[in-house]
Amino acid sequence: MLYLIAEWLNFEGIFNLIRYQTFRSGATLMTALVIGLIIGPRFINMLRVRQGKGQPIREDGPQTHLAKVGTPTMGGLMILISLTFSMVMWMDLRNPFVWACLAVTVGFGLIGFLDDYDKVTKASHKGVSGKVRLLMEFAVAGVASYLIVSQINTNLYVPFLSDVSIPLGPFYYVFAAVVIVGAGNAVNLTDGLDGLATMPVIIASGTFAIIAYLVGRVDYSAYLGIPHVPGAGELAILCAAIMGAGLAFLWFNAPPAAVFMGDTGSLALGGALGAIAVASHHEIVLAIVGGLFVMEALSVIIQVFWFKRTGKRIFRMAPIHHHFEQKGWAESTVVIRFWIVSIVLALMGLATLKLR
């Protein structure tokens, strides 16, 4: 909104700063952070009053988690409010990538909200049927994929190799939807400990802020040998909004958490990362940068598959962060070590920009 106003004023005087994506990225981060910190305390109190017993805690999970009974969930609404407001305030609303990614973020957030609401009202950790949830997610991702692919080509670019791509043709629409849904659910599975999903999402968002900015610049993309996507640089501002909203939420989610993100936040943030990766043509790099999320999702898939085949478990408990808890690692130890893994993976992802 401010960008359009500044443009109407011909970017004169101080409004000239708004012309630059780097300035608006920093301003968006600070806006989302301040909004989140301001609304946080009252929002958490409202959730605590309305939910009563808070998020249901699995009795078959780590026994230390039983101390978290009564902690409210749906804290992802705080993230969505601060993120959406700051996006609308600072981004160029004529950019189709903005609306595609916003559709995924809000759409997945709504699906997560319905799941959280079902869990709280029924006092059960099961929530909405997995098949129904996936159907809704693919519907949202399908619309977003159509909007994104209408602005880009249908090639899958391979990292570490310059100007090497795989033409997927019409199949790219399906591939894009799978990336978005997969990212949303991978982050959702990671969100099992205080602060575990939030910081890796912030790290991944910071990484993709750099990638989106470079991809949107014809000079930098030509120098680095990465695909150039006109307009994708605007997504760096969305990444900054995620970082600001995530930092504000982490202030209240730090152990012991005053509020849980819930599916409302984890699905929305994961879906947003997936949409940004598709729009910037760095889908494979997302699997590297978000390797922690991939590891969490794979641990669940492998556990379920092996248990159905043999009746035995490979991990003591899935997702894998619970496996380490069952081995005796303290929750804070698991969280901090997984943060370190995320930082290393982010650096590896950034290395793909130059190592070609």
Side-chain angles (χ1 to χ4, degrees):
M1 183 179 297
L2 287 179
Y3 180 85
L4 298 179
I5 295 174
E7 187 178 55
W8 181 66
L9 294 172
N10 295 318
F11 297 108
E12 293 182 355
I14 194 172
F15 288 102
N16 185 53
L17 287 172
I18 299 178
R19 182 197 303 268
Y20 302 104
Q21 291 172 341
T22 48
F23 172 79
R24 285 186 286 130
S25 294
T28 303
L29 190 155
M30 291 305 301
T31 301
L33 174 62
V34 171
I35 291 174
L37 292 175
I38 290 174
I39 69 173
R42 290 189 177 183
F43 201 88
I44 293 171
N45 288 333
M46 181 198 70
L47 290 175
R48 185 176 289 113
V49 170
R50 290 181 176 273
Q51 293 179 12
K53 296 181 179 180
Q55 176 173 299
I57 304 297
R58 291 177 55 179
E59 295 182 358
D60 60 339
Q63 295 301 302
T64 54
H65 289 204
L66 296 178
K68 302 181 181 183
V69 172
T71 305
T73 185
M74 298 186 193
L77 288 173
M78 294 165 46
I79 297 175
L80 289 176
I81 291 171
S82 53
L83 184 154
T84 304
F85 185 85
S86 57
M87 276 180 62
V88 173
M89 184 175 179
W90 290 104
M91 295 186 78
D92 182 359
L93 301 180
R94 296 168 303 182
N95 189 312
F97 292 134
V98 172
W99 293 105
C101 292
L102 184 60
V104 171
T105 306
V106 175
F108 274 38
L110 178 59
I111 295 169
F113 174 81
L114 294 174
D115 195 46
D116 286 335
Y117 183 81
D118 196 53
K119 291 176 182 177
V120 171
T121 53
K122 293 181 179 179
S124 170
H125 64 269
K126 292 183 178 180
V128 177
S129 164
K131 292 181 179 179
V132 173
R133 201 173 81 165
L134 277 176
L135 182 63
M136 291 189 291
E137 289 171 9
F138 271 107
V140 173
V143 173
S145 298
Y146 176 80
L147 292 173
I148 293 173
V149 179
S150 66
Q151 305 295 317
I152 61 177
N153 60 47
T154 56
N155 294 335
L156 175 62
Y157 290 88
V158 182
F160 299 112
L161 300 175
S162 182
D163 298 323
V164 175
S165 62
I166 303 172
L168 297 182
F171 180 71
Y172 189 84
Y173 289 91
V174 178
F175 173 75
V178 170
V179 170
I180 294 171
V181 172
N185 284 281
V187 174
N188 180 235
L189 290 171
T190 306
D191 183 35
L193 303 177
D194 297 347
L196 178 58
T198 310
M199 183 54 75
V201 165
I202 293 171
I203 294 168
S205 297
T207 305
F208 268 91
I210 298 172
I211 292 173
Y213 179 75
L214 295 174
V215 165
R217 291 283 299 263
V218 64
D219 49 353
Y220 290 150
S221 57
Y223 170 72
L224 293 170
I226 58 179
H228 170 55
V229 182
E234 201 69 18
L235 295 178
I237 303 170
L238 169 57
C239 292
I242 295 174
M243 293 173 68
L247 287 171
F249 178 78
L250 187 61
W251 183 268
F252 304 104
N253 186 236
V259 64
F260 295 141
M261 182 187 300
D263 294 355
T264 308
S266 57
L267 273 179
L269 295 177
L273 285 174
I276 293 168
V278 171
S280 61
H281 265 320
H282 276 71
E283 305 90 345
I284 297 178
V285 174
L286 175 62
I288 299 174
V289 174
L292 177 67
F293 308 131
V294 175
M295 179 180 68
E296 293 275 10
L298 285 177
S299 70
V300 174
I301 295 171
I302 293 170
Q303 184 87 321
V304 172
F305 172 78
W306 193 252
F307 185 77
K308 287 184 176 180
R309 289 290 300 272
T310 67
K312 298 180 181 179
R313 293 179 172 85
I314 294 179
F315 305 104
R316 295 187 181 184
M317 190 175 182
I320 198 168
H321 55 260
H322 290 320
H323 169 78
F324 289 109
E325 278 192 293
Q326 298 287 30
K327 288 188 67 175
W329 289 21
E331 179 174 338
S332 58
T333 302
V334 177
V335 171
I336 293 174
R337 287 178 177 173
F338 276 36
W339 286 0
I340 295 172
V341 171
S342 294
I343 294 172
V344 173
L345 290 172
L347 293 174
M348 291 174 61
L350 286 174
T352 66
L353 297 175
K354 189 57 180 174
L355 300 178
R356 291 176 182 263

